[in-house]
Amino acid sequence: MKLTWHTTSLELAEPLRISRSVMARRDAVRVTVEHEGLRGRGEAVSSDHLGLPTPRILRRLGALGPAVERLPDPETAWEDPAAVPWEGLPAGVAAALEAALLDLIGIRAGRPVHALLGTPEPPSATTTRTIGIVAPERAAAQAGRLARSGFTALKVKAGSRDPGEDLARVEAVRDAAPGASLLLDPNGAWSARRSLDLLPRFHALGVTAVEQPIAAGTPDRLAHLARESPVPVIADEDAVSYEDAAALAGHVHGINVKLAKCGGVRAALRIHAALRGTGTDLMLGCLTASTLGIAPAVHLADRARWVDLDGHLLLAADPWTGIGGADGTVRPSGRPGLGVRPNPGAAHR
């Protein structure tokens, strides 16, 4: 087999402001595995927050090349965990290589990835759409437009210096999209005390769940907050690995699993199994990425209570197509492998 990669820039349609940063673009590294004339693809995106700058992605892919080239076929790489030196790989790189292998296996078998993973029919799921930290009037305009497009779940970013601004933003979104389910995400900006003060007020505004309200690093405090909160608490930054998720199972209401954070599809399936029967549900999240980067999680969408797979919808021009989402629902295309194709329209934007 042959491993190659190519770096492109993903530009957002508009900068996304969250409590800790503002993002307008990021690099995407397309990972390609080729065997007997067929190609499978995955994507790793750069992330300063996850400690994964583009040069590190490229170095790790370069080191992986010889090991991948020694493999007889992609099926061996997937079925035998010892065949690939996964240990020590950054999670985002591991997830991208794994996605490329699954894509190629599916293409060779003529089957979509979800079927390879035990779901015969293409799963479909309502996805949230993110509204960043913007003025209430702008948030309302975005929410109204999204509701008219078919979105029934919206995620509102929080963590403004003045909590009153967050409350006003959520109220504006609720009024503009009264039928939408509202998820709140402060990205760890609040203290435990502020969370306990604010969450009843957000609950009164219709918020149905909150992601990681307090800073990561004290999962016991997050668990305590989950017991006291009037809305379900979902761990995100406190649940990076399988071990993190397993330790929080039964102590929070949800775990936000991002393939680029946990290490890929196989790790996500392990987390899903660990949560079963604990009272903690799975959320599928993502980084801002193209359709190629989001697609592997879409093939798992039937396993999640909450789906937040809108990263491709934030782009000015998505270079790939094949998972939908513009109408508020993500779904695989049904084609073999990941089922994505180059988007001819992206080149003209």
Side-chain angles (χ1 to χ4, degrees):
M1 294 201 301
K2 184 180 180 182
L3 176 67
T4 57
W5 51 90
H6 177 73
T7 304
T8 59
S9 178
L10 300 177
E11 306 289 335
L12 275 68
E14 58 181 76
L16 177 65
R17 181 186 171 199
I18 65 175
S19 61
R20 62 173 177 256
S21 63
V22 178
M23 183 178 64
R25 62 165 300 280
R26 74 182 343 146
D27 287 338
V29 180
R30 184 179 71 240
V31 178
T32 302
V33 177
E34 183 175 355
H35 184 63
E36 296 181 343
L38 297 176
R39 295 180 178 88
R41 298 177 175 90
E43 181 180 89
V45 293
S46 60
S47 171
D48 292 337
H49 180 64
L50 294 178
L52 196 60
T54 304
R56 187 178 181 213
I57 297 173
L58 301 181
R59 286 196 302 271
R60 297 312 297 259
L61 288 171
L64 273 175
V68 173
E69 290 174 4
R70 288 194 294 267
L71 293 169
D73 51 56
E75 292 79 8
T76 298
W78 172 254
E79 294 166 6
D80 179 7
V84 177
W86 301 104
E87 183 129 2
L89 274 183
V93 175
L97 175 58
E98 186 187 76
L101 292 169
L102 280 171
D103 189 33
L104 182 54
I105 292 167
I107 290 169
R108 280 162 57 86
R111 302 175 68 197
V113 164
H114 62 80
L116 299 177
L117 300 176
T119 303
E121 296 300 318
S124 65
T126 296
T127 181
T128 64
R129 178 66 157 76
T130 300
I131 295 175
I133 295 178
V134 296
E137 298 79 8
R138 188 171 170 190
Q142 291 178 7
R145 184 173 64 252
L146 291 168
R148 291 189 293 273
S149 298
F151 283 87
T152 58
L154 300 173
K155 181 162 87 167
V156 184
K157 291 291 187 178
S160 300
R161 194 168 292 180
D162 177 5
E165 295 179 11
D166 294 334
L167 289 160
R169 184 180 313 107
V170 170
E171 184 174 14
V173 168
R174 181 203 62 184
D175 292 347
S181 174
L182 300 182
L183 187 70
L184 189 68
D185 186 8
N187 289 106
W190 297 339
S191 67
R193 175 173 293 182
R194 174 166 282 188
S195 298
L196 290 172
D197 287 342
L198 290 175
L199 287 175
R201 301 173 67 182
F202 283 107
H203 181 247
L205 290 173
V207 167
T208 60
V210 60
E211 284 184 64
Q212 193 72 41
I214 64 174
T218 55
D220 55 332
R221 289 186 183 178
L222 187 69
H224 174 76
L225 178 60
R227 291 192 296 270
E228 301 294 325
S229 172
V231 298
V233 172
I234 303 168
D236 183 357
E237 287 88 347
D238 261 326
V240 173
S241 66
Y242 167 83
E243 290 77 15
D244 294 337
L248 279 167
H251 300 289
V252 293
H253 301 91
I255 298 290
N256 186 355
V257 171
K258 299 173 182 173
L259 302 191
K261 184 177 70 173
C262 72
V265 167
R266 199 191 309 269
L269 291 174
R270 287 186 68 210
I271 292 172
H272 178 251
L275 298 184
R276 192 177 295 120
T278 66
T280 298
D281 292 313
L282 183 73
M283 176 178 179
L284 279 172
C286 65
L287 304 182
T288 303
S290 77
T291 281
L292 177 61
I294 306 295
V298 174
H299 285 266
L300 303 175
D302 58 308
R303 294 164 169 87
R305 175 179 172 184
W306 300 279
V307 173
D308 179 33
L309 298 176
D310 68 338
H312 62 305
L313 303 175
L314 305 179
L315 300 180
D318 186 351
W320 302 89
T321 184
I323 60 172
D327 61 351
T329 300
V330 288
R331 56 182 79 77
S333 67
R335 292 189 291 266
L338 292 175
V340 306
R341 292 178 175 174
N343 181 5
H348 302 294
R349 297 181 187 176

